Amino acid sequence: MRRIILFCLLVISFGTSWKAIARQLIRDSIQIQGYMRHFSLIIPENTPKDAPLVFVAHGYGNSGKTKTWMDKAADKYKFALCVPIGLKDPGKNKHSWNVGYPSQQGWDVDDVKSMCKMALYVQKKYHLSKVNTFFTGMSNGGEMCYLLAYSGQRVFKAFASVSGLTMEWIYRTMDAPFPVPIFEIHGTADHTSEWDGDLENKGGWGAYMPTPIGIGYWVARNKCETISQETVASLQPESNRTIEKYRYSGGPTGCDVWLYKVVNGPHSWFDKDLDTGEEIWQFFSKYVK
């Protein structure tokens, strides 16, 4: 295990409380299941002890970038960001999360266990909340949101997928043991993770479900009874895009399901169309204790 502190940190301790005076960017690693797993940890200025922790998972083939769609929200609301790096898959040698793509067949990496163990390590070592830990990811990272949600883990409380999808094998073979809050932001003109799904695997990523069906599973699983809907314009009026916001609630456990349908939206994290980080934090904050 190693840690490299890239920015100076001044910490003032008074009993069990502490106050971070300068923004921190920390690079650390932990060995899990025989693999060294690397991550960056961003702790905004003046973040309190036991602050919430949000994992931010990159898309396929990306790694090491510490600028994310959650940065502004983290600075504003004072929660920490953990940006893990996926291992390289055996088929294409790309940094990724093992969700069962054809290029990942036979890969023995269990990213569900790895992310849970990493979260427990980060919570303890950096004095962050053990109960207010969340997970968001883009594209392949979004698929990790669904795999974690279906798995029955209890480390992450809620999930927000951006341009992610539910793999058909997950939908067909797994059943979530309990309700989980889920949020999806997805574009109808996404030609990488098609809104209408790809059950015939024409894109080569493996078969995956249409977005409405993937979300519909969670609406039913969470026993949501009410729906609110509104349509807003993109922050870029010239884009001719709108965002249809569907919010399902009223279930017995309070686990809501949100779906933001970005009409004519591409494969992206939609920072030009809405304040993605703000929207995701508003969803996560419903479950902060």
Side-chain angles (χ1 to χ4, degrees), residues 102-138:
S103 64
Q104 299 171 335
Q105 293 304 307
W107 201 15
D108 65 350
V109 170
D110 187 335
D111 274 324
V112 169
K113 289 184 178 179
S114 296
M115 291 302 98
C116 290
K117 288 186 177 182
M118 183 181 290
L120 295 174
Y121 170 80
V122 172
Q123 290 168 355
K124 182 177 181 179
K125 184 172 182 178
Y126 297 100
H127 309 289
L128 297 166
S129 177
K130 294 180 174 61
V131 295
N132 298 316
T133 298
F134 306 94
F135 198 100
T136 181
M138 191 266 181

Side-chain angles (χ1 to χ4, degrees), residues 188-243:
T188 61
D190 186 334
H191 299 304
T192 300
S193 302
E194 297 276 355
W195 171 268
D196 292 324
D198 184 9
L199 291 174
E200 297 179 0
N201 189 25
K202 294 179 180 179
W205 294 103
Y208 57 86
M209 305 304 296
T211 302
I213 293 179
I215 287 297
Y217 170 87
W218 290 103
V219 174
R221 183 66 188 87
N222 295 355
K223 297 182 179 179
C224 298
E225 296 180 348
T226 61
I227 177 176
S228 67
Q229 178 183 353
E230 67 171 326
T231 300
V232 300
S234 166
L235 296 177
Q236 286 186 315
E238 67 277 10
S239 71
N240 197 33
R241 290 194 285 269
T242 58
I243 300 96

